[in-house]
Amino acid sequence: MYGVCGCCGALRPRYKRLVDNIFPEDPEDGLVKANMEKLTFYALSAPEKLDRIGAYLSERLSRDVARHRYGYVCIAMEALDQLLMACHCQSINLFVESFLKMVRKLLESDKPSLQILGTNSFVKFANIEEDTPSYHRSYDFFVSRFSEMCHSGYEDPDIRTKIRMAGIKGLQGVVRKTVNDELQANIWDPQHMDKIVPSLLFNLQSGERTESRSPSPLQASEKEKESPVELTERCFRELLGRAAYGNIKNAVTPVLMHLDNHSLWEGKTFAVRCFKIIMYSIQSQHSHLVIQQLLGHLDANSKNSATVRAGIVEVLLEAAAIAASGSVGPTVLEVFNTLLRQLRLSVDYELTGSYDGSTNIGTKIIKAHEERQLQEAVIRTIGSFANTLPTYQRSEVMLFIMGKIPVPGIHLTLPSSDSGPEGTRMIQVMLLKSLVQVTAGFQTTNMLTALPSSFLEPLLSFSLTEDPEVRLLVLQILLSLIDRHENRPKFANMSSISDISVLKLKVDKCSRQDNLFMKKHAQQLYRHIYLGCKEESSGREHYETLFALLGLLSVELANEEVVVDLIRLALALQDLALSTDEALPVYNRCAVHALVAAYLNLICQLTTVPAFCQHIHEVIEVRQKESPYLLPEAVFVDSPKLHSSLDKVEGSVLFLQSKITESLGGSGYNTERLATPYVPQYTDEDRLSKRKSIGETISLQVEVESRNSPEKEERTPAEEITFETLKNAIVDSVGMEEQERERRRQVVEKFQKAPFEEIAAHCGARATQLQSKLNQIFEITIRPPPSPSGTISSGYGQSQSRSVPIYEMKFPDLCVY
């Protein structure tokens, strides 16, 4: 009886009859549309039957796949697609389970056409927004299978391309389906990202393009849509665009791993392209997370080859440029700390020749030129990061880098390395080059706050070192800091032109903050310019840069007092070039004369005092006829025309202080100050910066000790301060300075020239005196405590104080509780 009912079509459930009716006798005829409409109407009318319809369709499809009846398979999938699109109701969840089971069956097939068919159906399903979430649905299989299809190695290239594109579309569908559903398994977990991201990068890498598209690519043409590279890039951008704050790391980590595993840092182009896509696709406020990951990866690769590290640094450079609109993040100084650490490591590697400081067999060979390329890349990246920062943060970075520069004999902020003095010098040069990049284009309205003493003083101390490269870098940094109106290029060529209006200098009125800055730092700047001209190792670039510094001071920061001081400085430089005591080479003396001529020619035209201009121009004309080797046009050229002897430089070829004072005094300038020759004040900092001999350092220490010794500190009664005392103090200040300078010179000379026995006796006497003072202090402060039991008599009849322990003391009854 049951067998008869099973064979009778009229007794079968209605949903099965409706499903059977959509299949034609000949599969080539396609889906029977009229019957499909009946099935759809039935499913909408009785949604509780949807799961049964799905299960039955799935059963038929599995049977057809097994029997290789692929025409009916296509019809079944088409029917499923139509039912999915039509039935958006609460009962669709169970139907989806049957649908996904059928898609999985197709994806497991070895036939490419079925894989593509299943993928297309899954993509249609992914675009459906379901009304109710699913608690138990899993997409792990689909992530794995679609990733596998992305790496397809099918023999036929056309079919291989189609399979790979199907895999990319499938991954895109999985992301769309799961990324916004909180109840789904998290697609951002590493187990999924480690499959999805490398699959996309594999297809992105296979493309011929080397440049990334704009951040918001326009709609691609049909031809472009057929390219796996274009499709991959769209999918990758969509994935990154959906990443929230907490998911950025999981999305970027597989990218770093892929570039590591396939040695793609060296080529740079693909790595840069990947991170351009990442930086343009993620939300701008998350940019600093990517940069922090790159910095961490750079640290992790500290002992990798220079080409790998250089590739990571180049990517950082590009990423910083893109992140300029946002922020580098809260850990700004950590960014620079990492880059500076890499710079120091690279210097150590270059000088030691290995990554671990040893020369064992098997250690990697260091290529010096690759390390140099890395160092240049790091310095460029430091500049790129600095350009993204506001002024106040850039000032902090400048202070931070300055604190990292090692100063031999004073402090070593960076840990000591095996590379020795040469390593220290190279680190100094590299960090100063970094400061050149950071200060490029630095503009501030208030230089006093932007450039505090804690930055300027150590910077200026480096301008006194014997290394000419270090001095030149310091001067370049000063030029960048002072130049706020882009006047620096106009001082590039030193000349004594009769009309400076052709330079088109931008001169702005000196602000109150600028006046305060110069009042605080002017004497330091003058002293370092003077001492820089005095250096025997200074070359053409040094003098040209010093001229530019003088010119910028005159244009950017000069008030009437500063102009007077700069003219005094120029005349002091002329005296320096004339002096035979300094033993400067002929070229340096000619260069200083030429520098003074070019600068006085500039300053006289800026002051617009006719008599001053006339005197300067007269001297320059005489020099052009009689001594061209004293002018910049003859000195600062590739083949300078020098004179064998400068003993007869006198008379009309010199700028006269008396005439300049007379001409400027008539225009209201301070004649007393002009008539006072400029003398640079030598400080402890100057002698320490040179560090030419141990004797100088010792003499400085003894001098400081003698100044602070107790015997000098005699208490003086408070004297009454009147107008007369203040006046006398001002008048006598010059004489006091001379006396103090002479006393210092005598101390230095004594410790340099006196015999060792005399110095030892002097120091021994001071030590004895110090010990006696200490004994006096100890006698006053360290005494035995008073004893309630009185004194005891010693064996010699003398009374001696004895300290009684607290538990043996006898207290009055009233004191005991």
Side-chain angles (χ1 to χ4, degrees), residues 327-337 389 393 396-397 400:
S327 170
V328 177
T331 55
V332 173
L333 293 183
E334 187 57 35
V335 172
F336 290 93
N337 195 29
L389 300 176
Q393 277 190 324
E396 289 179 8
V397 170
F400 181 73

Side-chain angles (χ1 to χ4, degrees), residues 462 464-469 471 535 537 689-692:
F462 279 109
L464 301 173
T465 57
E466 293 178 348
D467 191 327
E469 186 177 6
R471 295 203 309 274
E535 289 287 345
S537 58
S689 297
K690 285 295 176 191
R691 269 172 237 97
K692 288 181 180 176

Side-chain angles (χ1 to χ4, degrees), residues 526 558-571 599 603 607 660 664 668-676 678:
Y526 303 153
N559 52 27
E560 187 175 312
E561 184 179 341
V562 172
V563 168
V564 169
D565 283 339
L566 287 170
I567 294 170
R568 290 172 60 223
L569 173 60
L571 292 171
Y599 177 66
I603 196 72
T607 55
I660 293 175
L664 288 175
Y669 286 87
N670 188 339
T671 52
E672 288 186 15
R673 194 173 180 83
L674 274 168
T676 308
Y678 171 78

